[in-house]
Every structure is written in C-alpha cells, then in structure tokens.
Amino acid sequence: MASLTSLTLKGALDGLEAGDFTSVELTRAHIEAVEAARGLNAFLFETPERALAMAAASDARRALGAGRPLDGIPLGIKDLFCTEGVPTTAASKILEPFVPHYESTVTSQLWRDGAVMLGKLNLDEFAMGSSNETSAYGPVINPWRKSGSNQALTPGGSSGGSAAAVAADLCLGATATDTGGSIRQPAAFTGTVGIKPTYGRCSRWGTVAFASSLDQAGPIAKTVEDAAILLTSMSGHDPKDSTSLDVPVPDFAAFVGKSVKGLRIGIPKEYRVDNMPAEIEKLWADGIAWLKEAGCEIVEISLPHTKYALPAYYIVAPAEASSNLARYDGMRYGLRAEGANLTEVYENTRAEGFGDEVKRRILIGTYVLSAGYYDAYYLKALKVRRRIAEDFDSAWEKCDAILTPTAPSAAFGLGENSNDPIAMYLNDVFTVTTNLAGLPGLSLPAGLDANGLPLGLQIIGKPLDEGTVFSVAGAMEKAAGFTAKATKWW
Ligand code: GLN
C-alpha cells in the first residue's frame, strides 16, 4: 500500500471506511510528516495531542457505524481562522498572545463533520501578500524547486502555509482564505487545487478580517474531488455573518466527473497581458484544447474593465483593511506596548505590532478614505468594481464558465519581489476580478514550466455555480493528467 500521507482525501476516506487503517494511524503518519518538514515553516502551531484525541474519537464513531463526511481526515488550518483554545495570530506580532475562546464557523463545521486538526498554518501577515514573506514568523518555503537548483522559492501567498502543507503531503487538505487571490495563486505555485467560492458561500464569522467585502474562505486540496468534498463541509448559511447566503449547499463532489459536453467556455481577450511567459500562453491554449475535446464550445468574450481591476482592488482592500485593523489598539486583543498616555499606548502598540506591508495598507487605506480623497479614490474604485461585475454579467449571456491562467508566472524566488510592491501586486492580476465581482474561481495544476515548476489554470463560474466550475475542473484534471510531485528535499 502507498504511504498514508500520499493518499488523496477521498482515498483516505475510502481506506478508513474499508478498515484498511485507522484515523489514529493516518493522523500519526501526518504528525510525523509535519515534524519532519519543519524546514518548510508551513506550520505556526502543531497540535498533535489534540489531533490524536480527535482521531481516536473518530475511530470510535466509525466503529459504531456512525461515520461522518470527513471522519478521521487530518487537516491543516490557516492561522486566520479562530480556533478555540489554540493560538491564532494571523501571522502578526500584534495578536501574539491571543487564544480565542470560540471557534470560527468554517472550522467548527469541519470538526462537526469529523475532521482532525493537525495545527495552524503560516500565512502572510493578516493575509496581505502574495509570497508569504510578510509573515511575522518568517516565510514558508515552497516544497517545489527548479530542476537542478537549491534556490528557495515562495509557495505564493497569502495561504502559502496551506498550499505548501498540502503539496508536501503534510495534511490531506487545508483551509485557506482569498481576498484577491490568496487561495488560487498559492495553489498554482504548488501544484495543488484551490477554490474561492461565491462571496457568501462560507461564513466569515471567526475568521480574522482583512477586507470584509472581498474575504472568502475555501479549501486547498490535492485533487478537484477533494476540494469539492471540503467545500461542501465548509459552506452553509450562518446567521452570525450578515453576508452569509441562505441557500442550499449542493454535494459539490457529485459535479466532479459530470460531462461538460455542450458547455460554453469563455476566453477573455483582456487576460492576454504584456510580457506573459510563452509557457503560460501555451498552457492556456492546452486548456482550451482539452475542453474542446471534452465537447465544450469555446467562445471569445470581452471583460473590458479588466485593466482597472488591480488598481481598484488595491484601493478597496486597503480601505477596508484600515477600518478592520483599527480594532488592534492594545486594549482588547494581543500585544500591548506601554506608553505615557492612552494615545502613546495606541501608537506604540501599532508601531511595534504591525509589519511593514500591513502599515503600508493601513496608510493607503486611511488616505483613500480621508475627506477630500474619498471621492477621487475610494468612490471611483467602487464604480470600477461595479463595471467589472457588469462585464461578467454580460459575459454570462455568452458562456457558462471562463478559462484563464491563474497567475502570470510560476513560483518565484524568496526576496525576488519583496522590495517592489507593484511587482508583487501584479501577481493578482488574474485573480482579483472574481473577488471584486463575488464570483467563484478555482485553480488547478495543468502543467510544468521548463524549470519543472507547476503552473495553474483558473476556471471562473457564475454566482453560486460552483457545480459547473467543479465539472469543468474535473474534465480538465483528467485531460491534464498532472501527477507530478515536489521531490522531497526537506
Ligand atoms: N495578494 C493579495 C494581497 O496582497 C491578495 C491577498 C489575499 O487574497 N488575502 O492583497
């Protein structure tokens, strides 16, 4: 039998069901993998005792014939989700001694369904970044390396810990969040599958807020089917989040493997950006060919406001962040730096507690919301956001799903973009549009570049039509036949 950590989530569920191994055995194998992979810096906190207790409880349930949808499956949790009794830092010094006394809705649903928590995963500070380098606890290292090179590469961000942990077989799946691409770009950089569902599918309650009108939770997994299984558990209405949608949650896994014959796939001409590597162009063309072969009709579409998406995102997201992060004042959570008076306590706490990128976002956000600039920047960005959503509305008259590259490059080296915020922000050029429009977007691995690094393609769907996204992704996964894994060096 293959090693327990190389199983897919679905394969592990089947093995548990068949009695081939227990959740305690499965969990132990993953705990050992986590301990052996500390060099990747993917986990901020390991919770092995809790994991083994959860696994034992799962085995007991199964023995009684009362297995749940994720019973006994070891998962990693992005450290942006509050976990009761387990530190939650958002990878920021400002939250450092914070131990939540409540559980986020998304994680509570995973535990309700029987999953096992291995620990908390590293991320960019407050999920702001595309390379994991803004984490106060050091960057995550991508398990993938260029062939013949020892250079440390980024796993992408902000869910870099989630993506690296899944790619290195440290867990069978992970939670992640996506405000502008933080599930999909790391998935593309690590050869994993990630989906950001429709805004409102997953509750935001108990997830540390970055930009509330854009933030969505979703899974990173080894396969399209695994991502579908996880998303089904993570989704659902929650009265504690006023933007959570009160709609039924389909069994997303049932859409994987469904025929895509007759579906119309839109190819937006505006996603052909300058200086895009020829390999990504080629990958996109391959994706189109695979879907044609599967019986899809390919239609050219236009999303004319695409070029304004990134600037609009980098106004809206910091604006909301500056407001959301006002709560970290040294009074209620985490760090408190002393000062001669209240104002100084605020100032010292925030100066010491926040990292540079977070400070940059707070400054930009405060600026664009201030009197005199509000109309010129924030209001204008909101109008652009509306236009972008309307572009998609018109596109849906012509197509059922949209195919694009996920990111404009493969994983880059640590330090390569960290001194150039604009170069870093360009990573999000293909992903921010779906956040601005609230649409589902999935990234799946579709091939390797000349250096042997994975590249991803993105499928964008209509609101609440994750089902079609999963069907298209399933067909592409089959056609791509992507089986490459990072060679173990850690
Ligand atoms: N990279 C983007 C940013 O830095 C997106 C982050 C995210 O989706 N959380 O804002």
Side-chain angles (χ1 to χ4, degrees), residues 127-130 158 178-182 210 313-314 361 428:
M128 298 176 191
S130 305
S158 64
D178 190 312
T179 304
S182 279
F210 164 8
Y313 170 83
Y314 276 97
R361 307 272 179 128
D428 309 321

Side-chain angles (χ1 to χ4, degrees), residues 91 122-125 128-141 152-158 160 355-357 412-419 424 427:
N122 203 348
L123 66 151
D124 277 299
E125 185 177 2
M128 298 176 191
S130 305
S131 66
N132 231 284
E133 290 164 288
T134 74
S135 167
Y137 305 99
V140 178
I141 317 289
L153 303 177
T154 170
S158 64
D356 288 349
E357 182 61 26
F412 48 89
L414 290 181
E416 258 171 41
N417 285 332
S418 45
N419 293 324
M424 193 65 92
N427 268 281

Side-chain angles (χ1 to χ4, degrees), residues 259-343:
S259 166
V260 294
K261 217 178 179 137
L263 281 182
R264 298 162 307 163
I265 305 296
I267 308 299
K269 56 174 191 261
E270 292 81 4
Y271 280 54
R272 219 156 247 124
V273 295
D274 292 345
N275 303 326
M276 188 150 86
E279 287 170 307
I280 292 186
E281 280 278 359
K282 154 122 195 354
L283 186 82
W284 198 6
D286 288 346
I288 293 171
W290 297 331
L291 288 176
K292 245 190 219 163
E293 259 161 55
C296 294
E297 185 193 333
I298 306 297
V299 287
E300 177 157 309
I301 57 163
S302 174
L303 299 169
H305 296 89
T306 301
K307 62 173 178 288
Y308 304 116
L310 206 54
Y313 170 83
Y314 276 97
I315 289 174
V316 174
E320 294 186 22
S322 72
S323 162
N324 271 327
L325 272 58
R327 74 190 72 177
Y328 304 104
D329 57 2
M331 297 297 131
R332 281 169 288 185
Y333 315 85
L335 181 82
R336 176 182 303 169
E338 292 313 324
N341 53 46
L342 186 62
T343 306

Side-chain angles (χ1 to χ4, degrees), residues 23-315:
S23 173
V24 167
E25 287 164 342
L26 183 69
T27 300
R28 207 166 262 138
H30 283 90
I31 291 171
E32 281 163 20
V34 169
E35 286 169 354
R38 293 206 176 112
L40 298 177
N41 202 23
F43 277 83
L44 292 178
F45 301 100
E46 297 168 17
T47 53
E49 282 111 47
R50 181 181 289 230
L52 287 169
M54 290 171 103
S58 164
D59 286 335
R61 274 193 300 271
R62 227 177 246 285
L64 292 174
R68 302 175 185 177
L70 287 173
D71 229 329
I73 296 297
L75 300 178
I77 302 300
K78 184 177 184 178
D79 200 25
L80 204 62
F81 293 86
C82 287
T83 40
E84 192 178 351
V86 178
T88 299
T89 66
S92 180
K93 290 268 183 246
I94 210 156
L95 267 171
E96 204 161 64
F98 176 55
V99 180
H101 50 268
Y102 50 86
E103 189 75 27
S104 84
T105 298
V106 161
T107 48
S108 70
Q109 291 177 182
L110 293 170
W111 315 142
R112 172 203 67 198
D113 286 353
V116 165
M117 177 164 80
L118 287 170
K120 304 295 291 288
L121 294 160
N122 203 348
L123 66 151
D124 277 299
E125 185 177 2
F126 284 103
M128 298 176 191
S130 305
S131 66
N132 231 284
E133 290 164 288
T134 74
S135 167
Y137 305 99
V140 178
I141 317 289
N142 195 331
W144 290 81
R145 285 173 160 179
K146 291 182 190 168
S147 27
S149 158
N150 290 339
Q151 186 195 13
L153 303 177
T154 170
S158 64
S159 311
S162 308
V166 173
D169 290 338
L170 311 186
C171 53
L172 292 174
T175 65
T177 62
D178 190 312
T179 304
S182 279
I183 290 177
R184 292 159 286 159
Q185 181 253 23
F189 280 14
T190 56
T192 56
V193 177
I195 177 166
K196 178 200 90 72
T198 308
Y199 183 78
R201 254 300 179 210
C202 292
S203 169
R204 291 179 299 106
W205 194 82
T207 308
V208 177
F210 164 8
S212 308
S213 77
L214 302 161
D215 296 344
Q216 257 307 284
I220 292 184
K222 296 185 190 181
T223 66
V224 174
E225 185 180 30
D226 287 0
I229 294 170
L230 285 169
L231 185 62
T232 305
S233 283
M234 293 167 74
S235 299
H237 179 238
D238 177 10
K240 288 187 287 201
D241 171 3
S242 59
T243 59
S244 153
L245 295 171
D246 193 359
V247 292
V249 178
D251 171 12
F252 291 122
F255 288 89
V256 183
K258 253 176 101 169
S259 166
V260 294
K261 217 178 179 137
L263 281 182
R264 298 162 307 163
I265 305 296
I267 308 299
K269 56 174 191 261
E270 292 81 4
Y271 280 54
R272 219 156 247 124
V273 295
D274 292 345
N275 303 326
M276 188 150 86
E279 287 170 307
I280 292 186
E281 280 278 359
K282 154 122 195 354
L283 186 82
W284 198 6
D286 288 346
I288 293 171
W290 297 331
L291 288 176
K292 245 190 219 163
E293 259 161 55
C296 294
E297 185 193 333
I298 306 297
V299 287
E300 177 157 309
I301 57 163
S302 174
L303 299 169
H305 296 89
T306 301
K307 62 173 178 288
Y308 304 116
L310 206 54
Y313 170 83
Y314 276 97
I315 289 174

